[in-house]
Amino acid sequence: MASLIARVTSTSTRAPLARLLTSPLGLDVWEVGADHLVLQADEAQAGRLQAMGYDVEQLRMTEQYLSAFATDAAGYHTVATLEQDLRRLAEAHPEIAELHEIGRSVEDRPLWALRIGERRGSTRKVAFLGCHHAREWISVEVPYLLAEHLLQTSSSEPVQGWLQQGEVWVAPMVNPDGHEYTRTENRLWRKNRRRNRDGSVGVDPNRNYGYMWGTLDVNTSSHVPADETYVGPRAFSEPEVRAVRDLVARQLFGGVLTYHSYSQLLLYPWGYTSEPVEDEADLGEMRELAEEMHQLIKGVHGTTYTPQQSSQLYPTAGDTADWTYGEYDAPSLTVELRPASALDGGFVLPPDQIQPCWEENRPAALHFIDHVLGRPAR
């Protein structure tokens, strides 16, 4: 059945937009606005939404969308070229860079993390993660380019000072199986490649972490295996997520930043509840950090990334930032990268946007490093 990208609105009190996020309807929600949602749906789903009282405006058929935006993969890493480039960085800077295999995927692909720093076993460490969701290719490139930048500038301040007193760990591709599948079969695939008991495929890695796992059963944190946000049969059921869990447990990072796309947002916990973080000092720290990063990003190309609590986007349980903050008290942010909307490419960001996206996120990423490595220990 053909699928479409649709803008959904409602003027009916019997069809509130919030219901599409909080009810387990199996929808693939792409973006959330104050007065609309953008989602991918098949024609039957679109018809059901209209029958429920929603206004459904077709933006493009999915095939038309892919024809318009998914025409050139140049500049984006594959699983293989990412490994090659990470090895190249480590080999070119053996005194301060080490490439670690932190785990294996469902389909037995290695998961790589690059450790950057002069000291081994430092107590000050910060982590950057990318590509939990397969179709979010730009979320691979920004952390990779960050690692490259740190190594290229490692003999200059402030980078030299950070690397003398701490470590930066960069894992640009948490979901290599899904990423490979987006290149060979389905550009809009989101999950990993777990074979589920009902015959469907995939668990959402960013719903599989242990903190408050499974406490929601909504469209954006689903217990239905075929859904895009399937949380998995149990917390940490997925080897990719266990690899991140074990890395964090070993390294005890003082801050974790994870990249996603799209919508241009800076998200801080909580995702599982609309209630704010209970510790006022922690909440103030993460809010202030997100606001500072917003200003730094905007100062480069004038692009706005909006700071907000994660649940203001939509409710999620078992995501990375809730877990790293909830379990380890580490300041944790999620950056939703370019673009702002599906009309600008959505998940299929044109390759000519890689460089400006990196340029605007560079000062914010460096500020996050300075916040963790350059301040007095907590």
Side-chain angles (χ1 to χ4, degrees):
M1 183 178 294
S3 65
L4 61 147
I5 315 302
R7 187 177 191 271
V8 179
T9 57
S10 176
T11 56
S12 170
T13 56
R14 68 184 181 89
L17 286 175
R19 180 185 299 169
L20 301 184
L21 301 176
T22 57
S23 300
L25 298 173
L27 300 171
D28 183 10
V29 177
W30 285 22
E31 63 187 74
V32 180
D35 60 354
H36 73 280
L37 302 178
V38 173
L39 49 81
Q40 182 180 212
D42 61 35
E43 292 171 329
Q45 288 174 315
R48 284 196 294 272
L49 290 174
Q50 289 173 322
M52 293 168 65
Y54 294 96
D55 299 317
V56 179
E57 175 193 358
Q58 177 183 314
L59 299 179
R60 288 188 177 183
M61 297 301 291
T62 301
E63 287 303 315
Q64 293 173 328
Y65 163 78
L66 292 173
S67 296
F69 292 106
T71 58
D72 185 5
Y76 283 106
H77 280 97
T78 66
V79 173
T81 61
L82 178 65
E83 179 179 344
Q84 292 167 8
D85 282 348
L86 289 172
R87 288 190 182 280
R88 175 181 55 81
L89 291 179
E91 290 166 2
H93 303 273
E95 69 286 357
I96 56 170
E98 297 172 343
L99 187 60
H100 293 255
E101 182 181 317
I102 61 171
R104 310 286 292 193
S105 67
V106 167
E107 296 179 343
D108 202 35
R109 290 184 174 89
L111 276 65
W112 298 108
L114 191 67
R115 188 200 70 83
I116 306 171
E118 294 184 11
R119 298 172 60 186
R120 274 67 171 174
S122 169
T123 58
R124 296 190 181 191
K125 303 175 185 180
V126 60
F128 293 84
L129 308 175
C131 197
H132 276 80
H133 294 144
R135 61 194 177 189
E136 299 169 11
W137 289 8
I138 187 62
S139 73
V140 177
E141 305 311 318
V142 169
Y144 171 78
L145 289 167
L146 173 63
E148 186 177 66
H149 174 77
L150 292 173
L151 291 170
Q152 289 174 345
T153 60
S154 60
S155 60
S156 303
E157 293 296 343
V159 176
Q160 184 177 45
W162 296 333
L163 301 185
Q164 286 174 342
Q165 65 184 2
E167 299 175 6
V168 180
W169 286 73
V170 182
M173 191 182 290
V174 173
N175 182 6
D177 297 347
H179 190 276
E180 184 67 17
Y181 192 74
T182 64
R183 299 190 69 92
T184 59
E185 299 293 337
N186 179 356
R187 178 62 183 85
L188 295 176
W189 186 260
R190 172 185 171 96
K191 301 186 286 182
N192 74 354
R193 295 296 297 165
R194 162 76 63 197
R195 268 48 177 184
N196 299 318
R197 289 185 176 181
D198 67 350
S200 65
V201 176
V203 169
D204 185 336
N206 203 41
R207 302 293 187 273
N208 194 236
Y209 289 90
Y211 191 80
M212 294 296 172
W213 176 88
T215 56
L216 300 177
D217 188 8
V218 296
N219 190 71
T220 50
S221 289
S222 174
H223 290 255
V224 178
D227 285 354
E228 296 288 348
T229 60
Y230 175 46
V231 301
R234 60 190 177 279
F236 298 115
S237 62
E238 303 313 294
E240 300 91 346
V241 178
R242 292 196 298 273
V244 175
R245 177 197 65 186
D246 295 346
L247 176 67
V248 173
R250 289 192 302 270
Q251 304 303 330
L252 299 176
F253 297 109
V256 177
L257 191 151
T258 181
Y259 289 105
H260 286 260
S261 73
Y262 62 97
S263 286
Q264 296 173 194
L265 300 171
L266 294 156
L267 306 176
Y268 50 85
W270 301 115
Y272 81 94
T273 176
S274 60
E275 294 297 316
V277 164
E278 296 84 352
D279 188 300
E280 292 185 3
D282 286 355
L283 177 60
E285 177 186 2
M286 289 187 285
R287 276 180 171 169
E288 183 177 2
L289 187 54
E291 178 60 34
E292 291 166 347
M293 291 170 65
H294 153 74
Q295 295 294 342
L296 288 166
I297 291 170
K298 191 170 185 178
V300 179
H301 296 302
T303 313
T304 297
Y305 284 54
T306 302
Q308 64 184 53
Q309 184 170 325
S310 182
S311 59
Q312 288 181 250
L313 176 61
Y314 46 64
T316 61
D319 76 10
T320 316
D322 274 16
W323 173 68
T324 51
Y325 172 70
E327 290 292 339
Y328 290 95
D329 197 32
S332 301
L333 298 180
T334 299
V335 180
E336 295 281 356
L337 297 163
R338 286 191 182 198
S341 76
L343 296 177
D344 297 318
F347 296 113
V348 189
L349 187 69
D352 64 6
Q353 294 296 298
I354 296 173
Q355 188 62 26
C357 186
W358 155 240
E359 289 169 354
E360 67 198 11
N361 277 277
R362 178 174 57 208
L366 298 180
H367 182 65
F368 191 82
I369 294 172
D370 186 59
H371 183 80
V372 177
L373 301 186
R375 63 179 178 159
R378 292 179 63 149

